[in-house]
């Protein structure tokens, strides 16, 4: 695959058109708003294109049957990629184009804004603050924790572009951003929204509130094509979208070896256990898959097997932070389990703690 100079990104645009219709991030990379790279199989008459955005997000488009590109794709797409193809048929040749035998198909949904917003209470409880994401907020970073905002900024090609185009709101409590909604991939009259709320603050309407404020400001700024993406399993995300005037536009596929859910209860127990068995087999080859196996077993209700895989993980060469074993959302059912503190302590000893 040939990595294109940004000045020649237009060579790949016809191949990426189908994906661009759903994903504003592709248009944002092509126009230089977001950091990203584009590869093609032939720099003059390409038949296959691969775009990377955000480090692990990869978009694949073109002629599925063009076998001369397979080996080059396999050298280019990293094992940890989150791969979104322009058509499901790429799944039939996945083993030929990607060195990740543990990736599986799952479905995602795209939403678009087409109407006004529902009523969302704007009154926050005492001690909570609604803040616009702007330079004033960034300047407050010396006194409050805005890491979720600054992490988002890193995907832009420069902080100035972020401040010029980005739109977002957040809720601050006790010196920390606890919920936020940010407009990303802002190109012309188009953007995509992302929302996140810290686990302890979910179910209180904060996500809907910051989304409503962000959508309203986008519309005030002349941004009319507002998009939203989420796992097909994420009912909470879909509710927030629909509350704020976004409706489902399409369902598409992605391939990844990461767990295709973001909240406890998104997937039924048996599906969680199916993923857990898949990860358990993968961990015999790549040890860190034991982390995902443990989380999936915990979500499926098999706490004993979850603890076995956590033990394998920490007794091996895994270098993850000990607190992840207590705070990561897939381990919710293990919190308070009498065996977990010992496992965390064994991981802590690797860091001399």
């Amino acid at each position: 695959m040939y990595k294109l100079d940004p000045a020649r990104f237009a060579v790949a645009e016809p191949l990426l058109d189908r994906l661009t219709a759903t994903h504003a991030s592709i248009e944002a990379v092509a126009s230089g708003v977001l950091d990203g790279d584009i590869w093609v199989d032939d720099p003059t008459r390409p038949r296959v294109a691969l775009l990377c955005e955000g480090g692990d997000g990869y978009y694949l488009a073109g002629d599925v049957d063009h076998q001369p590109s397979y080996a080059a794709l396999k050298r280019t797409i990293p094992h940890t990629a989150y791969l979104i193809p322009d058509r499901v048929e790429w799944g039939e040749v996945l083993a030929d184009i990607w060195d990740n035998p543990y990736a599986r198909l799952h479905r995602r949904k795209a939403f678009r804004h087409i109407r006004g917003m529902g009523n969302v209470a704007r009154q926050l409880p005492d001690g909570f603050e609604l803040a616009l994401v702007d330079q004033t907020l960034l300047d407050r970073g010396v006194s409050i924790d805005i890491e979720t905002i600054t992490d988002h900024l890193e995907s832009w090609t420069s902080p100035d572009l972020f401040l010029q185009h980005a739109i977002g709101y957040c809720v601050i409590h006790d010196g920390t951003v606890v919920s936020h909604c940010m407009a990303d991939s802002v190109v012309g009259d188009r953007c995509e929204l992302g929302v996140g709320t810290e686990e302890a603050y979910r179910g209180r309407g904060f996500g809907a509130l910051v989304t409503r404020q962000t959508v309203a400001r986008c519309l005030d700024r002349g941004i009319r094509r507002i998009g939203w993406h989420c796992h097909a399993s994420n009912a909470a995300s879909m509710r927030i979208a629909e509350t704020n005037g976004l409706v489902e536009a399409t369902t598409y596929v992605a391939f990844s070896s990461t767990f295709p859910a973001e909240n406890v209860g998104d997937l039924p127990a048996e599906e969680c256990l199916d993923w857990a068995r898949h990860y358990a087999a993968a961990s015999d080859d790549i040890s860190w898959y034991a982390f995902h196996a443990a989380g999936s077993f915990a979500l499926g209700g098999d706490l004993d097997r979850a603890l076995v895989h956590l033990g394998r993980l920490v007794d091996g060469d895994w270098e993850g932070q000990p607190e992840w074993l207590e705070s990561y959302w897939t381990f919710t059912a293990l919190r308070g389990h009498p065996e977990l503190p010992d496992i965390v302590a064994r991981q802590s000893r690797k860091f001399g703690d």
Side-chain angles (χ1 to χ4, degrees):
M1 299 294 285
Y2 296 86
K3 186 176 180 179
L4 294 175
D5 183 273
R8 300 201 63 220
F9 279 179
V11 170
E13 287 180 3
L15 291 173
L16 293 166
D17 276 349
R18 185 171 179 175
L19 286 168
T20 303
T22 301
H23 303 276
S25 55
I26 295 179
E27 188 174 348
V29 169
S31 63
V33 172
L34 295 183
D35 280 327
D37 297 304
I38 300 178
W39 295 264
V40 292
D41 64 305
D42 185 318
T44 56
R45 300 183 65 181
R47 294 177 62 179
V48 174
L50 179 71
L51 182 147
C52 174
E53 181 271 320
D56 290 332
Y58 282 76
Y59 298 86
L60 176 61
D63 184 355
V64 178
D65 297 321
H66 186 54
Q67 296 186 15
S69 68
Y70 289 1
L73 284 169
K74 201 166 192 175
R75 291 191 298 269
T76 306
I77 305 173
H79 183 95
T80 55
Y82 192 90
L83 186 64
I84 297 174
D86 64 344
R87 63 200 73 218
V88 70
E89 286 79 9
W90 281 106
E92 298 172 8
V93 298
L94 212 59
D96 298 315
I97 65 169
W98 190 11
D99 189 19
N100 183 354
Y102 308 114
R104 301 173 106 183
L105 180 150
H106 57 277
R107 301 192 182 278
R108 296 180 59 87
K109 291 185 180 291
F111 289 72
R112 59 188 175 91
H113 186 268
I114 64 165
R115 59 174 184 263
M117 298 162 288
N119 294 320
V120 179
R122 301 181 66 174
Q123 186 68 37
L124 285 169
D126 290 343
F128 290 79
E129 173 192 356
L130 179 68
L132 174 68
V133 176
D134 59 6
Q135 185 64 59
T136 300
L137 178 68
L138 297 182
D139 290 342
R140 292 173 63 187
V142 297
S143 59
I144 62 174
D145 181 1
I146 59 169
E147 185 178 359
T148 55
I149 305 300
T150 55
D151 284 349
H152 179 89
L153 185 149
E154 292 175 359
S155 67
W156 289 69
T157 52
S158 75
D160 288 341
L161 271 177
F162 172 86
L163 292 170
Q164 182 180 351
H165 296 287
I167 300 167
Y169 280 86
C170 63
V171 171
I172 300 169
H173 178 247
D174 198 22
T176 300
V177 171
V178 299
S179 184
H180 69 281
C181 180
M182 300 288 293
D184 203 345
S185 307
V186 183
V187 181
D189 71 342
R190 185 180 188 186
C191 76
E192 290 176 346
L193 302 184
V195 66
T197 301
E198 296 299 316
E199 184 178 348
Y201 294 86
R202 293 176 184 172
R204 302 174 67 176
F206 296 142
L209 172 61
V210 291
T211 300
R212 185 184 193 280
Q213 295 297 114
T214 304
V215 169
R217 193 171 181 87
C218 285
L219 294 173
D220 287 345
R221 291 262 297 264
I223 297 175
R224 295 291 182 264
R225 295 186 293 160
I226 303 171
W228 180 285
H229 297 261
C230 64
H231 286 297
S233 63
N234 196 335
S237 180
M238 288 185 273
R239 281 196 300 271
I240 292 175
E242 291 165 351
T243 295
N244 287 285
L246 293 111
V247 299
E248 184 178 335
T250 189
T251 299
Y252 60 95
V253 301
F255 295 93
S256 173
S257 51
T258 57
F259 191 67
E262 296 171 289
N263 305 284
V264 175
D266 279 356
L267 295 178
E270 187 49 49
E271 191 168 346
C272 294
L273 293 175
D274 178 66
W275 275 93
R277 291 186 287 268
H278 175 73
Y279 287 134
S283 68
D284 291 336
D285 179 33
I286 300 175
S287 60
W288 54 259
Y289 274 116
F291 182 93
H292 295 304
S296 303
F297 276 124
L299 290 169
D302 192 337
L303 303 190
D304 289 339
R305 293 184 73 181
L307 291 164
V308 167
H309 282 83
L310 280 186
R312 288 183 58 193
L313 187 72
V314 303
D315 293 337
D317 57 3
W318 185 63
E319 297 181 355
Q321 294 299 314
E323 55 266 27
W324 295 350
L325 305 176
E326 299 174 297
S327 63
Y328 195 63
W329 71 273
T330 61
F331 300 133
T332 299
L334 293 174
R335 294 171 192 168
H337 195 287
E339 295 183 29
L340 186 60
D342 176 66
I343 293 174
V344 174
R346 280 146 58 190
Q347 185 66 13
S348 296
R349 285 195 285 271
K350 295 181 183 179
F351 296 87
D353 297 338

